[in-house]
Amino acid sequence: MGDVLTIEAPGKVALVEEKLPEIPEGGFRVATTHSGVSAGTELTYVKGDNPYLNATFDRELGLFVPGTPSIEYPVRGIGYMQVGRVVETRTAAVREGALVAMAYGHRTAYVADPLADRFVELPADLDPLLGIYVAHMGPICANGLLHAAHDLYGPAARHLGDGVHGRRVVVVGAGVVGLLVACFAMHGGAAEVVVVDETPARLEVAAALGANVLAVADDPAVTLKRRWRHAPQDRGADVVFQCRGRARALALGLRLLRPQGTLVDLAFYTEGADEVRLGEEFHHNGLSVRCAQIGRVPRGLAHAWDRERLSHETIGLLREWGPLLRRHLVTDLVGFGEAPLFLGDLAARRRQSLQAVLCDEVQEEGG
């Protein structure tokens, strides 16, 4: 048996017991050690504004259309940042005792089939808590860098940092995605990385990670275009990574760019942007402005840049930036038993969190 986080209805979150299936031949079972909370995507289900809850997504056509919602309540097993310890295995693909990064939702245990479930074994020198980023969240952010590289070099892009190396970069939004993207850009050799946000506390985290920062209230477009000159009438950022799901953040990102610059958009606009409806086809179909949605890498690069390589790049980032990320990015460790109340408080804005991690209470208390 195990426990799974379930959203029964908007604003109603519970932890319920579920029976685990038998381990299939070639499968394995994990006990969850850490489960990262996405305060963006996951809370759209708690608040009830995820587009999948209100329309049918026709995957063949790539359109949201009226009809039975693609996802209905209760919603079980949301979440895509899990680390588990293999407690029983019937496969040579993974040994008992190994720590693996996966994306199976907020569960205390899970039975996996390597033919159906993707997993990444974590190296011994990596902080297990930071392993929450290896399977999915890190690749999401790395894919943003890959889109910038493709924008500059097309299918000839060879390195993740090709689109930022030696260039002036702005990251709009200092949530988890924005901060990881900023670290990837610094890791990739950007000439300068500036993080722009509305929240002073988040800018403090960005500065602690090594980025330069500007507050939205300081009109960063004017500030940076006065400072970043490429040629007459050519000023601004070479590339902007837009990481906040608000129309005003997208508008600001466009103002920050130099002429013919590129904005790589990693945001999820659940409220849309007036009639443009950025929360639907724009996000899920990966339209331009360069939408870096994790379901696709840039055209012509899929053969060389699969999810495994993006996870490998994430591990490389975490090896260098791990101590700073652990100290400044992870703000809350929450026991699974406290998770329903915690998510409800986040959705209702009774509590703020940058990166919350659900964990086994006994393990955390015992060190």
Side-chain angles (χ1 to χ4, degrees), residues 322-338:
L324 282 175
L325 291 169
R326 175 68 187 262
R327 186 178 311 127
H328 298 291
L329 191 60
V330 179
T331 53
D332 298 89
L333 294 178
V334 181
F336 266 94
E338 304 167 17

Side-chain angles (χ1 to χ4, degrees), residues 27-263:
F28 62 92
R29 178 169 60 88
V30 298
T32 303
T33 62
H34 303 91
S35 190
V37 175
S38 167
T41 302
E42 292 173 30
L43 293 189
T44 64
Y45 293 104
V46 182
K47 293 183 287 187
D49 59 4
N50 190 292
Y52 284 107
L53 294 168
N54 302 298
T56 297
F57 184 52
D58 187 321
R59 295 189 179 277
E60 184 63 32
L61 299 179
L63 294 173
F64 282 86
V65 296
T68 302
S70 292
I71 297 177
E72 297 182 279
Y73 293 106
V75 180
R76 289 195 169 189
I78 61 167
Y80 50 77
M81 291 185 272
Q82 283 67 53
V83 174
R85 186 175 299 279
V86 178
V87 293
E88 188 176 353
T89 180
R90 300 183 65 189
T91 174
V94 64
R95 60 184 172 81
E96 187 173 318
L99 282 170
V100 294
M102 299 184 69
Y104 53 74
H106 296 306
R107 290 177 162 86
T108 58
Y110 184 71
V111 171
D113 180 352
L115 293 180
D117 294 299
R118 179 172 176 266
F119 70 95
V120 181
E121 186 166 349
L122 298 179
D125 63 342
L126 191 70
D127 183 338
L129 184 147
L130 295 177
I132 62 172
Y133 297 128
V134 170
H136 197 68
M137 176 60 91
I140 286 173
C141 301
N143 195 32
L145 273 288
L146 188 60
H147 275 73
H150 183 269
D151 182 73
L152 199 60
Y153 294 108
R158 296 181 59 194
H159 304 288
L160 191 65
D162 281 350
V164 298
H165 187 81
R167 308 181 83 200
R168 291 150 174 169
V169 175
V170 176
V171 177
V172 179
V176 171
V177 172
L179 293 170
L180 287 176
V181 166
C183 288
F184 268 118
M186 291 185 284
H187 189 65
E192 185 177 356
V193 176
V194 175
V195 175
V196 176
D197 198 87
E198 299 174 352
T199 307
R202 293 194 170 191
L203 291 177
E204 290 178 9
V205 174
L209 293 173
N212 293 328
V213 299
L214 284 173
V216 170
D218 296 332
D219 199 348
V222 171
T223 300
L224 291 178
K225 287 194 172 185
R226 283 177 172 165
R227 192 166 93 214
W228 286 348
R229 180 185 184 277
H230 306 276
Q233 300 182 3
D234 185 356
R235 295 172 176 271
D238 291 299
V239 60
V240 170
F241 295 96
Q242 208 307 83
C243 304
R244 186 161 189 251
R246 295 289 184 270
R248 63 181 181 272
L250 174 58
L252 173 61
L254 294 171
R255 292 186 70 227
L256 289 160
L257 279 170
R258 64 183 293 193
Q260 296 184 308
T262 295
L263 184 146

